[in-house]
Amino acid sequence: MIIATTNRLLLRRFERADAPFLLSLLNEPSYHANIGDRGIRSVEEAEDYLRTFFERSYETNGFGLYKVETRDGVPIGMCGLVNRDGLDGVDLGYALMPSYWGKGFAREACLAVMHHAREEIALRQLLAIVARHNDASAGLLLRLGFALIGDFLHVDSGERLDLYRCNLFQTDQ
């Protein structure tokens, strides 16, 4: 199911056939450093993660994390919405393969998801959490119209993260 298209990107729901790509993304050193190690080490574990996390979110919430591809079908990352335990609101999450950093793809994908959240899901605001050392993601959130509002203690990892909020009726920059 296609969620959004932009000038350069297509965002769609993950499918089980995407497990090999998800496995490679989740095991990027940058993913471990900035988001966390999910402990996924095989295609079978990635398929199970797709089923238990991604598909369950689509069914339960009507949204989730989406696969981000270039318009010619090259998978480059994920971007979407997470209903995270311990967080009082829906969270914008994203991760791209490092070779696609610094080219505007994350901003483009985030804007598409923010538009989708406002227009299709009728959300009025989004939250985002970022590791305190991740200056690039913090800068992107600020450029997207998010504001730092405090901190968040991650339920699973115990890590203290920066917490941002954006009112969606003020976006589409």
Side-chain angles (χ1 to χ4, degrees):
M1 171 187 245
I2 295 173
I3 301 303
T5 56
T6 69
N7 289 339
R8 301 183 295 166
L9 302 174
L10 175 105
L11 285 76
R12 66 167 177 80
R13 286 185 175 187
F14 273 93
E15 301 166 352
R16 293 205 187 136
D18 298 319
F21 170 71
L22 183 62
L23 176 65
S24 65
L25 180 64
L26 295 177
N27 283 289
E28 273 295 320
S30 58
Y31 193 97
H32 288 191
N34 294 313
I35 299 171
D37 184 352
R38 300 294 182 247
I40 309 296
R41 300 293 185 261
S42 69
V43 171
E44 294 77 20
E45 290 174 335
E47 289 171 348
D48 186 55
Y49 191 60
L50 281 168
R51 188 173 42 261
T52 60
F53 182 73
F54 289 75
E55 291 175 10
R56 183 176 295 152
S57 180
Y58 302 148
E59 293 167 10
T60 303
N61 302 311
F63 57 77
L65 288 166
Y66 307 116
K67 184 177 181 186
V68 179
E69 302 175 340
T70 62
R71 291 293 289 259
D72 57 352
V74 176
I76 67 169
M78 66 179 160
C79 184
L81 305 170
V82 181
N83 196 3
R84 193 178 305 279
D85 288 341
L87 199 57
D88 190 25
V90 177
D91 173 29
L92 174 69
Y94 52 89
L96 297 183
M97 297 299 273
S99 58
Y100 293 92
W101 293 1
K103 299 175 181 169
F105 288 115
R107 183 177 190 279
E108 195 170 326
C110 286
L111 284 171
V113 168
M114 292 167 72
H115 179 82
H116 173 74
R118 186 183 65 229
E119 300 300 324
E120 304 299 323
I121 303 172
L123 294 176
R124 303 274 298 155
Q125 73 172 14
L126 282 177
L127 300 173
I129 54 175
V130 176
R132 292 198 161 146
H133 64 268
N134 191 343
D135 294 337
S137 281
L140 173 60
L141 289 173
L142 293 173
R143 288 189 303 279
L144 290 169
F146 282 77
L148 179 63
I149 61 168
D151 60 0
F152 171 73
L153 185 62
H154 196 279
V155 174
D156 296 328
S157 71
E159 182 180 7
R160 191 158 297 282
L161 306 168
D162 286 336
L163 177 63
Y164 292 80
R165 179 177 55 218
C166 179
N167 294 319
L168 292 177
F169 54 87
Q170 299 175 0
T171 63
D172 271 358
Q173 301 162 0

